[in-house]
Short mmCIF file of all heavy atoms in Angstrom, two decimals:
data_model
loop_
_atom_site.label_atom_id
_atom_site.label_comp_id
_atom_site.label_asym_id
_atom_site.label_seq_id
_atom_site.Cartn_x
_atom_site.Cartn_y
_atom_site.Cartn_z
N ILE A 80 -40.98 11.45 -64.23
CA ILE A 80 -40.97 10.31 -63.30
C ILE A 80 -41.40 9.05 -64.03
O ILE A 80 -41.90 9.12 -65.16
CB ILE A 80 -41.95 10.54 -62.11
CG1 ILE A 80 -43.29 11.09 -62.62
CG2 ILE A 80 -41.34 11.44 -61.04
CD1 ILE A 80 -44.42 11.04 -61.66
N ASP A 81 -41.25 7.91 -63.34
CA ASP A 81 -41.61 6.63 -63.94
C ASP A 81 -43.13 6.43 -63.80
O ASP A 81 -43.60 5.84 -62.83
CB ASP A 81 -40.83 5.52 -63.20
CG ASP A 81 -41.15 4.15 -63.76
OD1 ASP A 81 -41.71 4.07 -64.87
OD2 ASP A 81 -40.84 3.16 -63.07
N THR A 82 -43.86 6.97 -64.75
CA THR A 82 -45.32 6.84 -64.72
C THR A 82 -45.86 6.85 -66.14
O THR A 82 -45.11 7.05 -67.10
CB THR A 82 -45.96 7.97 -63.89
OG1 THR A 82 -47.32 7.64 -63.61
CG2 THR A 82 -45.92 9.33 -64.61
N THR A 83 -47.17 6.63 -66.25
CA THR A 83 -47.81 6.73 -67.57
C THR A 83 -49.13 7.48 -67.45
O THR A 83 -49.76 7.48 -66.38
CB THR A 83 -48.14 5.31 -68.13
OG1 THR A 83 -49.01 4.67 -67.20
CG2 THR A 83 -46.90 4.47 -68.36
N TRP A 86 -51.79 5.08 -66.32
CA TRP A 86 -51.84 4.78 -64.87
C TRP A 86 -52.53 5.91 -64.13
O TRP A 86 -53.45 5.70 -63.33
CB TRP A 86 -50.42 4.55 -64.30
CG TRP A 86 -50.44 3.95 -62.92
CD1 TRP A 86 -50.31 2.64 -62.61
CD2 TRP A 86 -50.63 4.64 -61.67
NE1 TRP A 86 -50.41 2.45 -61.24
CE2 TRP A 86 -50.61 3.67 -60.64
CE3 TRP A 86 -50.83 5.96 -61.29
CZ2 TRP A 86 -50.75 3.98 -59.28
CZ3 TRP A 86 -50.98 6.28 -59.94
CH2 TRP A 86 -50.95 5.29 -58.95
N ILE A 87 -52.11 7.12 -64.42
CA ILE A 87 -52.66 8.27 -63.67
C ILE A 87 -54.15 8.41 -63.95
O ILE A 87 -54.96 8.60 -63.04
CB ILE A 87 -51.92 9.58 -64.02
CG1 ILE A 87 -50.42 9.46 -63.73
CG2 ILE A 87 -52.50 10.75 -63.23
CD1 ILE A 87 -49.59 10.64 -64.23
N ARG A 90 -56.17 5.46 -62.35
CA ARG A 90 -56.17 5.42 -60.88
C ARG A 90 -56.74 6.67 -60.22
O ARG A 90 -57.11 6.64 -59.05
CB ARG A 90 -54.73 5.27 -60.34
CG ARG A 90 -54.03 4.00 -60.75
CD ARG A 90 -54.57 2.81 -59.98
NE ARG A 90 -53.92 1.60 -60.43
CZ ARG A 90 -53.33 0.73 -59.64
NH1 ARG A 90 -53.31 0.92 -58.35
NH2 ARG A 90 -52.77 -0.34 -60.14
N THR A 91 -56.75 7.78 -60.96
CA THR A 91 -57.16 9.04 -60.31
C THR A 91 -58.17 9.86 -61.10
O THR A 91 -58.84 10.72 -60.53
CB THR A 91 -55.94 9.97 -60.07
OG1 THR A 91 -55.49 10.48 -61.33
CG2 THR A 91 -54.80 9.25 -59.38
N ALA A 161 -56.87 21.73 -43.65
CA ALA A 161 -56.44 20.98 -44.84
C ALA A 161 -57.50 21.08 -45.95
O ALA A 161 -58.02 22.17 -46.20
CB ALA A 161 -56.11 19.54 -44.46
N CYS A 162 -57.82 19.97 -46.57
CA CYS A 162 -58.73 20.03 -47.73
C CYS A 162 -60.18 20.33 -47.33
O CYS A 162 -61.00 20.64 -48.19
CB CYS A 162 -58.68 18.71 -48.50
SG CYS A 162 -57.03 18.36 -49.09
N SER A 163 -60.50 20.24 -46.04
CA SER A 163 -61.85 20.59 -45.58
C SER A 163 -61.97 22.08 -45.26
O SER A 163 -63.02 22.53 -44.78
CB SER A 163 -62.22 19.79 -44.32
OG SER A 163 -61.95 18.44 -44.48
N ASP A 200 -41.44 12.05 -56.30
CA ASP A 200 -42.27 11.03 -55.66
C ASP A 200 -43.51 10.78 -56.53
O ASP A 200 -44.48 11.54 -56.49
CB ASP A 200 -42.67 11.50 -54.25
CG ASP A 200 -43.68 10.56 -53.61
OD1 ASP A 200 -43.89 9.44 -54.13
OD2 ASP A 200 -44.28 10.96 -52.59
N ARG A 201 -43.44 9.70 -57.30
CA ARG A 201 -44.52 9.47 -58.28
C ARG A 201 -45.86 9.14 -57.61
O ARG A 201 -46.90 9.24 -58.24
CB ARG A 201 -44.13 8.35 -59.24
CG ARG A 201 -44.06 6.97 -58.60
CD ARG A 201 -43.80 5.92 -59.65
NE ARG A 201 -43.82 4.59 -59.05
CZ ARG A 201 -43.82 3.47 -59.74
NH1 ARG A 201 -43.79 3.52 -61.06
NH2 ARG A 201 -43.84 2.31 -59.14
N THR A 202 -45.80 8.71 -56.36
CA THR A 202 -47.07 8.35 -55.72
C THR A 202 -47.89 9.59 -55.32
O THR A 202 -49.09 9.49 -55.10
CB THR A 202 -46.86 7.48 -54.46
OG1 THR A 202 -46.19 8.25 -53.48
CG2 THR A 202 -46.05 6.24 -54.77
N SER A 203 -47.23 10.74 -55.19
CA SER A 203 -48.01 11.92 -54.76
C SER A 203 -48.00 13.08 -55.76
O SER A 203 -48.99 13.81 -55.86
CB SER A 203 -47.51 12.44 -53.40
OG SER A 203 -46.17 12.87 -53.51
N CYS A 204 -46.90 13.24 -56.54
CA CYS A 204 -46.81 14.46 -57.36
C CYS A 204 -47.83 14.49 -58.49
O CYS A 204 -48.16 15.54 -59.02
CB CYS A 204 -45.40 14.67 -57.89
SG CYS A 204 -44.95 13.54 -59.22
N ILE A 205 -48.35 13.33 -58.84
CA ILE A 205 -49.35 13.26 -59.90
C ILE A 205 -50.70 13.82 -59.48
O ILE A 205 -51.56 14.11 -60.30
CB ILE A 205 -49.55 11.79 -60.33
CG1 ILE A 205 -49.90 10.96 -59.07
CG2 ILE A 205 -48.32 11.24 -61.01
CD1 ILE A 205 -50.70 9.74 -59.34
N LEU A 206 -50.89 13.95 -58.16
CA LEU A 206 -52.23 14.26 -57.64
C LEU A 206 -52.58 15.74 -57.62
O LEU A 206 -53.75 16.10 -57.76
CB LEU A 206 -52.38 13.72 -56.21
CG LEU A 206 -52.24 12.20 -56.01
CD1 LEU A 206 -52.18 11.87 -54.52
CD2 LEU A 206 -53.39 11.47 -56.67
N PHE A 207 -51.59 16.61 -57.40
CA PHE A 207 -51.91 17.97 -56.97
C PHE A 207 -51.74 19.05 -58.03
O PHE A 207 -50.91 18.96 -58.92
CB PHE A 207 -51.08 18.33 -55.74
CG PHE A 207 -51.42 17.46 -54.57
CD1 PHE A 207 -50.62 16.38 -54.23
CD2 PHE A 207 -52.58 17.69 -53.85
CE1 PHE A 207 -50.96 15.55 -53.17
CE2 PHE A 207 -52.92 16.87 -52.79
CZ PHE A 207 -52.11 15.80 -52.45
N ILE A 240 -51.82 12.17 -43.21
CA ILE A 240 -51.45 13.10 -44.28
C ILE A 240 -50.55 14.15 -43.64
O ILE A 240 -50.96 14.82 -42.68
CB ILE A 240 -52.68 13.78 -44.91
CG1 ILE A 240 -53.67 12.72 -45.43
CG2 ILE A 240 -52.27 14.70 -46.04
CD1 ILE A 240 -54.93 13.30 -46.07
N PHE A 251 -45.22 16.72 -49.12
CA PHE A 251 -46.48 15.99 -48.91
C PHE A 251 -46.24 14.49 -48.92
O PHE A 251 -45.56 13.96 -49.80
CB PHE A 251 -47.48 16.34 -50.03
CG PHE A 251 -48.76 15.57 -49.90
CD1 PHE A 251 -49.85 16.13 -49.26
CD2 PHE A 251 -48.87 14.28 -50.41
CE1 PHE A 251 -51.03 15.41 -49.13
CE2 PHE A 251 -50.04 13.55 -50.27
CZ PHE A 251 -51.12 14.13 -49.63
N GLN A 253 -48.55 10.68 -47.62
CA GLN A 253 -49.80 10.20 -47.03
C GLN A 253 -49.86 8.68 -47.03
O GLN A 253 -49.14 8.02 -47.77
CB GLN A 253 -50.97 10.73 -47.84
CG GLN A 253 -51.03 10.15 -49.25
CD GLN A 253 -52.23 10.58 -50.04
OE1 GLN A 253 -53.22 11.00 -49.49
NE2 GLN A 253 -52.13 10.47 -51.36
N ALA A 254 -50.76 8.17 -46.20
CA ALA A 254 -51.11 6.75 -46.24
C ALA A 254 -52.26 6.63 -47.23
O ALA A 254 -53.44 6.69 -46.86
CB ALA A 254 -51.52 6.28 -44.85
N GLY A 255 -51.90 6.51 -48.52
CA GLY A 255 -52.87 6.65 -49.62
C GLY A 255 -54.10 5.76 -49.50
O GLY A 255 -55.23 6.24 -49.64
N LYS A 256 -53.87 4.49 -49.24
CA LYS A 256 -55.02 3.55 -49.22
C LYS A 256 -55.95 3.84 -48.04
O LYS A 256 -57.17 3.78 -48.18
CB LYS A 256 -54.51 2.12 -49.13
CG LYS A 256 -54.02 1.61 -50.47
CD LYS A 256 -53.90 0.11 -50.46
CE LYS A 256 -53.06 -0.40 -51.61
NZ LYS A 256 -53.47 0.08 -52.93
N GLN A 257 -55.33 4.16 -46.89
CA GLN A 257 -56.14 4.46 -45.69
C GLN A 257 -56.98 5.72 -45.93
O GLN A 257 -58.16 5.77 -45.58
CB GLN A 257 -55.18 4.69 -44.51
CG GLN A 257 -55.81 4.48 -43.17
CD GLN A 257 -54.78 4.66 -42.05
OE1 GLN A 257 -53.59 4.37 -42.22
NE2 GLN A 257 -55.23 5.17 -40.92
N VAL A 258 -56.36 6.72 -46.55
CA VAL A 258 -57.08 7.97 -46.82
C VAL A 258 -58.21 7.72 -47.81
O VAL A 258 -59.32 8.23 -47.65
CB VAL A 258 -56.12 9.06 -47.36
CG1 VAL A 258 -56.88 10.31 -47.78
CG2 VAL A 258 -55.06 9.41 -46.32
N PHE A 259 -57.93 6.90 -48.80
CA PHE A 259 -58.95 6.58 -49.80
C PHE A 259 -60.17 5.96 -49.13
O PHE A 259 -61.31 6.37 -49.37
CB PHE A 259 -58.35 5.61 -50.84
CG PHE A 259 -59.19 5.41 -52.05
CD1 PHE A 259 -58.93 6.11 -53.22
CD2 PHE A 259 -60.28 4.54 -52.05
CE1 PHE A 259 -59.72 5.95 -54.36
CE2 PHE A 259 -61.07 4.37 -53.16
CZ PHE A 259 -60.79 5.06 -54.32
N LYS A 260 -59.93 4.98 -48.27
CA LYS A 260 -61.03 4.29 -47.57
C LYS A 260 -61.83 5.25 -46.70
O LYS A 260 -63.05 5.25 -46.70
CB LYS A 260 -60.44 3.18 -46.68
CG LYS A 260 -60.78 1.81 -47.16
CD LYS A 260 -60.13 0.75 -46.31
CE LYS A 260 -61.08 0.22 -45.25
NZ LYS A 260 -60.45 -0.83 -44.45
N PHE A 261 -61.08 6.07 -45.95
CA PHE A 261 -61.72 7.06 -45.08
C PHE A 261 -62.63 7.98 -45.90
O PHE A 261 -63.78 8.25 -45.53
CB PHE A 261 -60.64 7.87 -44.34
CG PHE A 261 -61.09 9.23 -43.87
CD1 PHE A 261 -61.89 9.36 -42.74
CD2 PHE A 261 -60.73 10.38 -44.56
CE1 PHE A 261 -62.32 10.62 -42.32
CE2 PHE A 261 -61.14 11.64 -44.14
CZ PHE A 261 -61.95 11.75 -43.02
N ALA A 262 -62.09 8.47 -47.03
CA ALA A 262 -62.82 9.45 -47.83
C ALA A 262 -64.12 8.87 -48.37
O ALA A 262 -65.18 9.51 -48.32
CB ALA A 262 -61.94 9.95 -48.98
N HIS A 290 -64.92 17.31 -52.52
CA HIS A 290 -63.51 17.65 -52.69
C HIS A 290 -62.96 16.77 -53.81
O HIS A 290 -63.19 15.55 -53.83
CB HIS A 290 -62.77 17.42 -51.38
CG HIS A 290 -61.29 17.46 -51.52
ND1 HIS A 290 -60.65 18.46 -52.24
CD2 HIS A 290 -60.30 16.64 -51.06
CE1 HIS A 290 -59.35 18.24 -52.21
NE2 HIS A 290 -59.11 17.15 -51.51
N GLN A 291 -62.22 17.39 -54.73
CA GLN A 291 -61.74 16.67 -55.91
C GLN A 291 -60.38 16.04 -55.58
O GLN A 291 -59.33 16.65 -55.81
CB GLN A 291 -61.61 17.62 -57.10
CG GLN A 291 -62.85 18.47 -57.37
CD GLN A 291 -63.97 17.73 -58.08
OE1 GLN A 291 -63.74 17.08 -59.09
NE2 GLN A 291 -65.18 17.82 -57.54
N ALA A 292 -60.42 14.83 -55.03
CA ALA A 292 -59.17 14.17 -54.64
C ALA A 292 -58.84 13.01 -55.58
O ALA A 292 -57.68 12.80 -55.92
CB ALA A 292 -59.25 13.68 -53.21
N ASN A 293 -59.89 12.27 -55.96
CA ASN A 293 -59.67 11.12 -56.84
C ASN A 293 -61.03 10.74 -57.41
O ASN A 293 -61.98 10.54 -56.66
CB ASN A 293 -59.08 9.96 -56.01
CG ASN A 293 -58.67 8.80 -56.89
OD1 ASN A 293 -59.32 8.49 -57.89
ND2 ASN A 293 -57.57 8.15 -56.53
N LYS A 294 -61.08 10.65 -58.74
CA LYS A 294 -62.37 10.34 -59.37
C LYS A 294 -62.89 8.97 -58.94
O LYS A 294 -64.10 8.76 -58.82
CB LYS A 294 -62.24 10.39 -60.90
CG LYS A 294 -63.56 10.35 -61.60
CD LYS A 294 -63.45 10.55 -63.08
CE LYS A 294 -64.82 10.43 -63.72
NZ LYS A 294 -64.72 10.21 -65.17
N ARG A 295 -61.96 8.05 -58.67
CA ARG A 295 -62.40 6.71 -58.25
C ARG A 295 -63.15 6.74 -56.93
O ARG A 295 -63.99 5.90 -56.66
CB ARG A 295 -61.19 5.77 -58.13
CG ARG A 295 -60.79 5.14 -59.46
CD ARG A 295 -59.87 3.95 -59.22
NE ARG A 295 -58.66 4.37 -58.53
CZ ARG A 295 -58.11 3.74 -57.50
NH1 ARG A 295 -58.66 2.65 -57.00
NH2 ARG A 295 -57.00 4.19 -56.95
N MET A 296 -62.79 7.72 -56.07
CA MET A 296 -63.53 7.85 -54.80
C MET A 296 -64.99 8.16 -55.08
O MET A 296 -65.90 7.59 -54.48
CB MET A 296 -62.97 9.02 -53.97
CG MET A 296 -61.63 8.78 -53.36
SD MET A 296 -61.13 10.32 -52.55
CE MET A 296 -59.50 9.86 -51.99
N ASN A 320 -55.99 17.67 -57.58
CA ASN A 320 -56.42 17.99 -56.21
C ASN A 320 -55.83 19.34 -55.84
O ASN A 320 -54.62 19.49 -55.70
CB ASN A 320 -55.91 16.87 -55.28
CG ASN A 320 -56.29 17.09 -53.83
OD1 ASN A 320 -56.63 18.20 -53.42
ND2 ASN A 320 -56.22 16.04 -53.03
N SER A 322 -56.58 20.90 -53.04
CA SER A 322 -56.85 20.99 -51.61
C SER A 322 -58.11 21.82 -51.34
O SER A 322 -59.12 21.61 -52.02
CB SER A 322 -55.62 21.56 -50.88
OG SER A 322 -55.76 21.43 -49.49
N PHE A 350 -63.07 16.72 -47.28
CA PHE A 350 -62.41 15.74 -46.39
C PHE A 350 -60.92 15.83 -46.68
O PHE A 350 -60.52 16.27 -47.75
CB PHE A 350 -62.93 14.32 -46.68
CG PHE A 350 -62.85 13.97 -48.14
CD1 PHE A 350 -61.69 13.48 -48.70
CD2 PHE A 350 -63.93 14.19 -48.98
CE1 PHE A 350 -61.61 13.20 -50.06
CE2 PHE A 350 -63.86 13.92 -50.35
CZ PHE A 350 -62.69 13.42 -50.88
N GLY A 351 -60.12 15.39 -45.73
CA GLY A 351 -58.68 15.40 -45.98
C GLY A 351 -57.88 15.36 -44.70
O GLY A 351 -58.33 14.77 -43.70
N GLY A 352 -56.71 15.98 -44.73
CA GLY A 352 -55.78 15.94 -43.61
C GLY A 352 -56.50 16.23 -42.30
O GLY A 352 -57.41 17.05 -42.24
N LEU A 354 -57.65 13.54 -39.64
CA LEU A 354 -58.44 13.47 -40.88
C LEU A 354 -59.76 14.21 -40.67
O LEU A 354 -60.58 13.78 -39.86
CB LEU A 354 -58.75 12.01 -41.25
CG LEU A 354 -57.51 11.18 -41.63
CD1 LEU A 354 -57.85 9.70 -41.72
CD2 LEU A 354 -56.93 11.64 -42.97
N1 LIG B 161 -47.26 5.77 -61.83
C1 LIG B 161 -47.12 4.43 -61.98
N2 LIG B 161 -47.16 3.58 -60.96
C2 LIG B 161 -47.37 4.09 -59.74
C3 LIG B 161 -47.53 5.46 -59.51
C4 LIG B 161 -47.46 6.30 -60.63
N3 LIG B 161 -47.60 7.63 -60.52
N4 LIG B 161 -47.72 5.67 -58.20
C5 LIG B 161 -47.69 4.47 -57.61
N5 LIG B 161 -47.46 3.52 -58.55
C6 LIG B 161 -47.36 2.07 -58.34
C7 LIG B 161 -46.97 1.71 -56.94
O1 LIG B 161 -45.58 1.77 -56.77
C8 LIG B 161 -47.52 0.31 -56.84
O2 LIG B 161 -46.61 -0.57 -57.46
P1 LIG B 161 -46.34 -2.04 -56.86
O3 LIG B 161 -47.67 -2.73 -56.92
O4 LIG B 161 -45.32 -2.58 -57.78
O5 LIG B 161 -45.89 -1.81 -55.45
C9 LIG B 161 -48.78 0.34 -57.68
O6 LIG B 161 -48.63 1.49 -58.55
C10 LIG B 161 -50.05 0.49 -56.88
O7 LIG B 161 -49.85 1.55 -55.93
P2 LIG B 161 -50.90 1.89 -54.88
O8 LIG B 161 -50.36 2.92 -53.95
O9 LIG B 161 -51.46 0.61 -54.31
O10 LIG B 161 -52.02 2.57 -55.80
P3 LIG B 161 -53.48 2.97 -55.43
O11 LIG B 161 -54.41 2.25 -56.32
O12 LIG B 161 -53.74 2.92 -53.95
O13 LIG B 161 -53.51 4.50 -55.88
C11 LIG B 161 -53.47 6.71 -54.92
C12 LIG B 161 -52.68 5.43 -55.23
C13 LIG B 161 -52.55 7.68 -54.22
C14 LIG B 161 -53.93 7.28 -56.27
C15 LIG B 161 -54.70 6.35 -54.06
O14 LIG B 161 -54.29 5.58 -52.95
C16 LIG B 161 -55.42 7.56 -53.56
O15 LIG B 161 -55.99 8.33 -54.31
N6 LIG B 161 -55.48 7.75 -52.24
C17 LIG B 161 -56.12 8.88 -51.63
C18 LIG B 161 -55.24 10.06 -51.85
C19 LIG B 161 -55.86 11.36 -51.57
O16 LIG B 161 -56.79 11.73 -52.21
N7 LIG B 161 -55.30 12.10 -50.63
C20 LIG B 161 -55.64 13.40 -50.35
C21 LIG B 161 -56.92 13.45 -49.64
S1 LIG B 161 -57.36 15.10 -49.42
#
Side-chain angles (χ1 to χ4, degrees):
I80 45 166
D81 180 16
T82 194
T83 59
W86 192 96
I87 302 172
R90 298 286 178 127
T91 71
C162 301
S163 311
D200 173 13
R201 69 175 184 169
T202 66
S203 63
C204 74
I205 54 154
L206 298 171
F207 296 100
I240 304 180
F251 177 95
Q253 67 176 339
K256 282 196 196 307
Q257 203 178 327
V258 174
F259 191 98
K260 248 177 97 178
F261 156 77
H290 168 46
Q291 310 282 311
N293 187 324
K294 191 174 177 197
R295 275 196 300 135
M296 287 176 183
N320 180 342
S322 191
F350 52 84
L354 294 169

